[in-house]
């Protein structure tokens, strides 16, 4: 969670005239969630003596537009935006690498399970398997496992790239 240093919050009643804005020098708590929503939370004193809590959410699309507008108007912050881009690129590369490793592990595991299942079927379950409950149960369990794993494997392969 980031805390602001140069942020001011202004408030005004709905019926107040334009020149009655009241500012408050308060700390805002800023977080970014997993779907790239920026959450800004703060509290200010209310005119009547209580406390007003504010929570502003800026969605990813609006955040992108906001950053572009800031970059257009204030070219001097380019180094900060470049540093942010560099960090995002680094994080994306790490995620991509981890995802690739995860998919490779899935493919290798799938291949190993298929080989093991085929080996058991070829060596321990034959036409007499129906007369051997233990071998039949083993084969059924292996095929049930491979079917479940194949569903998960196919889902990962479809959605992993």
């Amino acid at each position: 969670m980031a805390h602001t240093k140069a942020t001011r919050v202004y408030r005004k009643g709905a019926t107040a005239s334009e020149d009655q804005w009241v500012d408050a020098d308060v700390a805002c708590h800023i977080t970014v969630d997993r779907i790239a929503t920026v959450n800004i939370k703060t509290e200010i004193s209310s005119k009547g003596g209580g406390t007003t809590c504010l929570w502003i959410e800026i969605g990813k699309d609006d955040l992108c537009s906001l950053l572009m507008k800031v970059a257009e108007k204030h070219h001097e912050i380019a180094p900060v935006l470049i540093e942010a881009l560099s960090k995002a690129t680094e994080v994306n590369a790490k995620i991509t690498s981890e995802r690739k490793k995860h998919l490779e592990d899935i493919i290798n595991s799938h291949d190993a399970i298929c080989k093991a299942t085929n080996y058991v079927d070829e060596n321990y379950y034959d036409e007499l398997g129906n007369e051997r409950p233990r071998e039949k149960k083993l084969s059924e369990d292996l095929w049930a496992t491979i079917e479940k794993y194949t569903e998960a494997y196919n889902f990962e392969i479809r959605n992993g790239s």
Side-chain angles (χ1 to χ4, degrees):
M1 178 183 325
H3 295 282
T4 59
K5 297 177 184 165
T7 300
R8 298 190 65 80
V9 177
Y10 295 89
R11 68 169 170 80
K12 155 181 115 132
T15 59
S17 66
E18 287 296 316
D19 59 353
Q20 290 185 324
W21 285 95
V22 178
D23 69 356
D25 191 11
V26 298
C28 294
H29 305 286
I30 301 173
T31 58
V32 179
D33 64 22
R34 294 187 64 152
I35 56 173
T37 298
V38 175
N39 302 294
I40 304 169
K41 294 189 287 187
T42 192
E43 296 178 352
I44 59 173
S45 297
S46 298
K47 185 176 180 182
T51 300
T52 298
C53 298
L54 303 171
W55 181 329
I56 301 167
E57 291 184 351
I58 303 172
K60 180 171 64 172
D61 292 341
D62 291 336
L63 180 61
C64 291
S65 296
L66 177 67
L67 289 173
M68 290 302 291
K69 287 190 184 301
V70 169
E72 289 171 7
K73 299 277 185 183
H74 301 280
H75 59 85
E76 69 275 8
I77 68 159
V80 173
L81 295 175
I82 290 169
E83 185 178 343
L85 176 62
S86 174
K87 181 66 175 173
T89 302
E90 180 183 311
V91 169
N92 281 340
K94 182 178 178 185
I95 289 170
T96 300
S97 174
E98 289 172 357
R99 184 71 178 154
K100 182 179 177 190
K101 172 79 170 94
H102 176 69
L103 287 174
E104 288 171 356
D105 290 346
I106 287 171
I107 290 168
N108 292 337
S109 298
H110 181 263
D111 291 347
I113 289 174
C114 286
K115 286 178 186 174
T117 302
N118 289 334
Y119 179 82
V120 169
D121 270 358
E122 290 170 6
N123 294 288
Y124 296 101
Y125 185 74
D126 54 22
E127 297 83 28
L128 299 175
N130 290 331
E131 297 172 17
R132 296 190 224 166
R134 183 171 168 225
E135 284 81 0
K136 181 178 180 186
K137 173 84 169 107
L138 176 62
S139 181
E140 288 171 354
D141 289 348
L142 279 169
W143 280 110
T145 300
I146 194 73
E147 187 175 314
K148 288 179 185 174
Y149 192 84
T150 298
E151 289 173 14
Y153 166 80
N154 289 336
F155 176 83
E156 285 289 336
I157 296 302
R158 274 193 313 273
N159 298 301
S161 46

